[in-house]
Amino acid sequence: MVKKRVVVAFFFAAIASQLAPESQADTEKYEVTVQRNIPAKMRDGVTLRADIYRPKADGKFPVLLVRTPYDKTGILNFGLRAATRGYVVVAQDVRGRFTSEGEWYPFKNESLDGYDTVEWAAALPDSNGKVGMFGGSYVGATQYLAAISKPPHLAGICPTVTASNYHDGWTYQGGAFEQWFNESWSSGLAHDTMRRRSENNIKPLEGSKVLPLLSYPVLEPPSSTDIATYFTDWLANPNYDNYWKQISIEDHYADIQVPVFGIGAWYDIFLGGTLRNYIRMKTEAGTEAARRGQRLEVTVGGHAGGGRKVGAVDFGEKLQLDDEDVMLRWYDWLLKGEANGVEKEKPVRIFVMGKNEWRDEDDWPLARAKSTRYYLHSAGAANGLGGNGTLNTIVAAEEKADQYIYDPSDAVPTIGGPLCCQALPTGIGPQDQRPAEERKDVLVYTTAAFAKDTEVSGPVSLDLYASSSAVDTDFAGKLVDVWPDGFAQNLTEGILRLRYRNSQEKPEL
């Protein structure tokens, strides 16, 4: 991020490439045949259904597989596009969703179902036996969870804006329950579950047994009891225990044996997991091909929005890439063996906010980045924008402690940030933080105006020394960039429930 001035506002509250030239596949277009609701039997007898987009031509083609809880018909446009380029595209509803049988429970069945589906797809008549996967968010999770089961015909995955751990970084953040995300996501998922229950309640023949016929319940409303048992299970498992460990990608990097092209985004709710997957799989993946085959792209937005304007900030005309083409070009190289230049490119591409331009890099974090410590200072009254909090590189001496009173009936509002699955009334992504910074229960520490443009790229952490009169407290911190006109743009943020300060597994009060 490049700007003239930087401010750090710590919210202490009890909560807070250039496009590639046309490839061979672009110039050799195929007609497409589409098959709907093709059944695939899982090892336990449950049938999952998929739409298949095939090139209308003789020969064998690599397969691109997407497994989604969000309705497989949404893949129509990409399915047609990729099939015209010489891929068999398989779009499957995961277990318990839309046209597939079984009971829906997030994450639980994705490893075994993913394995079975990859092997089923590899054996399709037009398949050449090489299967790649794609998709974002939970659809990224279906890729990683399939990969850790090591299906023999899986050749690569391209997960977008997804996590590395479904406890910390998905359901919880620093031990705090991700209430807005968990509730908005679960409520959205419940629509299809209620639809399926409603359809099961349509029993017109039973009306023929009722005499005299005076009325007919055209549609009995389904019960919402146990509509999302996983939500209460999440609440019942706040610690990082075996409930979470069995589905954690971080605990299974050694089982991933294929190259991964991970795509993340600044302001995305799962950015930390995207970066962590790339960094750790370079050394911890299960094969040399997987360790050397890691690639990373970081754009802006993700779940926080697409287009050149994300939240309240316009990032310019260079931001938008054809991400489908970027992925297809990678798969053209990986699955088809095309000499399209991918093998000569640097493994990392990031969008530099502020400069608003793309830049290719040798690695992430950037080796040339200089880790710099900034220290919090005040005369004991850093409360709000009018306080005396400062931020600089001078080591703190003996100074008065800053204090504030937290009122749970008037909590500091979340303004923008890495949210999902819709915006809050206060916005999403980058937003002006001044309304929160004006509060007395927010401590603000501000640098002097920078004398020159300064890029801040890399991991950001906060070492906080604090005490609380409460049994437990959540402390949230934000790194904010203050523009010359005063606009206070949130860059990154974090939260920690203090009982988890030493361990996510063993809380300490």
Side-chain angles (χ1 to χ4, degrees):
M1 184 70 202
V2 180
K3 285 288 180 182
K4 287 287 189 179
R5 189 181 180 201
V6 175
V7 59
V8 174
F10 292 118
F11 285 28
F12 296 150
I15 37 166
S17 90
Q18 292 178 345
L19 287 175
E22 282 194 337
S23 68
Q24 176 183 335
D26 285 315
T27 57
E28 185 179 359
K29 301 290 187 181
Y30 295 92
E31 293 184 22
V32 178
T33 297
V34 182
Q35 296 174 285
R36 301 291 186 192
N37 296 323
I38 304 303
K41 189 80 72 175
M42 301 296 102
R43 64 187 66 188
D44 62 354
V46 170
T47 296
L48 308 186
R49 291 184 174 82
D51 295 341
I52 302 177
Y53 303 79
R54 307 172 183 268
K56 193 175 182 180
D58 295 331
K60 303 286 187 179
F61 303 91
V63 176
L64 295 181
L65 168 66
V66 59
R67 305 188 60 252
T68 178
Y70 303 123
D71 188 352
K72 65 184 184 307
T73 61
I75 206 66
L76 172 65
N77 290 338
F78 177 80
L80 295 172
R81 179 181 185 180
T84 65
R85 285 179 58 148
Y87 289 94
V88 175
V89 180
V90 177
Q92 182 187 71
D93 289 324
V94 300
R95 181 180 296 241
R97 303 294 292 171
F98 294 92
T99 62
S100 289
E101 296 176 354
E103 294 297 319
W104 161 248
Y105 192 105
F107 310 114
K108 180 179 179 179
N109 300 293
E110 305 304 0
S111 282
L112 296 182
D113 286 354
Y115 181 105
D116 292 349
T117 301
V118 167
E119 295 306 296
W120 169 80
L124 290 171
D126 296 332
S127 167
N128 69 359
K130 294 181 179 180
V131 179
M133 299 181 73
F134 67 96
S137 194
Y138 187 87
V139 188
T142 65
Q143 296 175 65
Y144 275 118
L145 290 166
I148 65 177
S149 70
K150 297 183 280 193
H153 289 90
L154 184 64
I157 61 175
C158 185
T160 303
V161 293
T162 198
S164 61
N165 181 323
Y166 306 118
H167 174 258
D168 187 51
W170 188 289
T171 310
Y172 289 83
Q173 291 278 1
F177 191 67
E178 281 265 32
Q179 186 171 356
W180 173 249
F181 166 61
N182 294 328
E183 291 182 353
S184 61
W185 187 51
S186 297
S187 294
L189 291 168
H191 289 172
D192 180 60
T193 307
M194 290 295 283
R195 177 192 62 80
R196 294 161 74 99
R197 287 189 178 187
S198 177
E199 289 177 354
N200 289 335
N201 276 356
I202 299 175
K203 301 173 182 178
L205 281 178
E206 292 187 1
S208 65
K209 302 175 183 179
V210 179
L211 293 174
L213 181 61
L214 301 176
S215 65
Y216 169 62
V218 176
L219 179 63
E220 292 284 358
S223 170
S224 61
T225 302
D226 296 330
I227 195 72
T229 57
Y230 47 86
F231 190 92
T232 52
D233 289 344
W234 296 342
L235 289 170
N237 291 273
N239 303 338
Y240 185 53
D241 54 22
N242 288 331
Y243 175 87
W244 302 106
K245 290 180 181 179
Q246 61 185 329
I247 56 172
S248 169
I249 305 307
E250 294 175 19
D251 286 8
H252 295 88
Y253 284 139
D255 294 320
I256 297 176
Q257 302 183 336
V258 297
V260 178
F261 183 6
I263 301 175
W266 314 127
Y267 297 105
D268 183 67
I269 190 172
F270 304 133
L271 174 62
T274 299
L275 299 176
R276 192 174 302 112
N277 286 334
Y278 170 78
I279 292 168
R280 290 186 55 184
M281 283 193 293
K282 288 187 303 175
T283 58
E284 299 179 39
T287 65
E288 183 65 17
R291 290 188 291 272
R292 294 174 60 88
Q294 298 301 312
R295 297 180 71 90
L296 174 69
E297 176 186 296
V298 184
T299 181
V300 183
H303 290 87
R308 59 180 285 171
K309 187 175 182 181
V310 179
V313 177
D314 187 334
F315 291 97
E317 60 183 14
K318 295 180 182 179
L319 173 60
Q320 292 179 270
L321 299 179
D322 184 344
D323 287 329
E324 289 182 355
D325 184 75
V326 171
M327 178 186 72
L328 286 170
R329 184 168 171 266
W330 182 67
Y331 272 132
D332 288 345
W333 168 76
L334 181 68
L335 302 184
K336 297 181 179 181
E338 285 191 15
N340 58 11
V342 167
E343 70 283 359
K344 300 176 183 178
E345 296 171 351
K346 294 184 177 182
V348 175
R349 168 169 281 193
I350 62 173
F351 188 83
V352 183
M353 298 187 294
K355 282 188 174 179
N356 291 345
E357 62 185 28
W358 287 95
R359 192 171 68 208
D360 295 335
E361 296 287 353
D362 294 316
D363 203 0
W364 181 270
L366 309 184
R368 66 183 182 280
K370 180 182 178 182
S371 181
T372 306
R373 285 184 175 271
Y374 278 77
Y375 297 88
L376 312 181
H377 299 275
S378 81
N383 307 75
L385 285 176
N388 54 28
T390 60
L391 183 70
N392 56 46
T393 56
I394 301 172
V395 178
E398 290 292 328
E399 299 180 10
K400 291 183 179 180
D402 292 305
Q403 300 182 25
Y404 67 93
I405 297 174
Y406 167 67
D407 180 357
S409 65
D410 183 26
V412 177
T414 296
I415 301 177
L419 302 175
C420 179
C421 296
Q422 55 185 299
L424 289 168
T426 52
I428 194 169
Q431 299 287 342
D432 191 348
Q433 301 299 306
R434 284 177 290 184
E437 293 173 351
E438 290 169 353
R439 296 171 58 110
K440 297 302 181 183
D441 54 353
V442 173
L443 304 181
V444 180
Y445 303 88
T446 310
T447 69
F450 281 17
K452 60 181 180 180
D453 286 349
T454 302
E455 179 175 330
V456 181
S457 293
V460 176
S461 63
L462 167 63
D463 294 329
L464 177 66
Y465 298 84
S467 63
S468 173
S469 61
V471 174
D472 198 5
T473 304
D474 295 352
F475 287 95
K478 290 191 178 184
L479 179 65
V480 176
D481 173 29
V482 179
W483 295 12
D485 64 2
F487 183 90
Q489 177 185 346
N490 50 305
L491 299 181
T492 190
E493 59 195 73
I495 189 170
L496 178 64
R497 180 159 294 174
L498 289 194
R499 71 179 65 187
Y500 296 108
R501 62 193 180 277
N502 294 319
S503 171
Q504 294 275 341
E505 300 178 52
K506 300 177 180 179
E508 303 172 41
L509 291 174

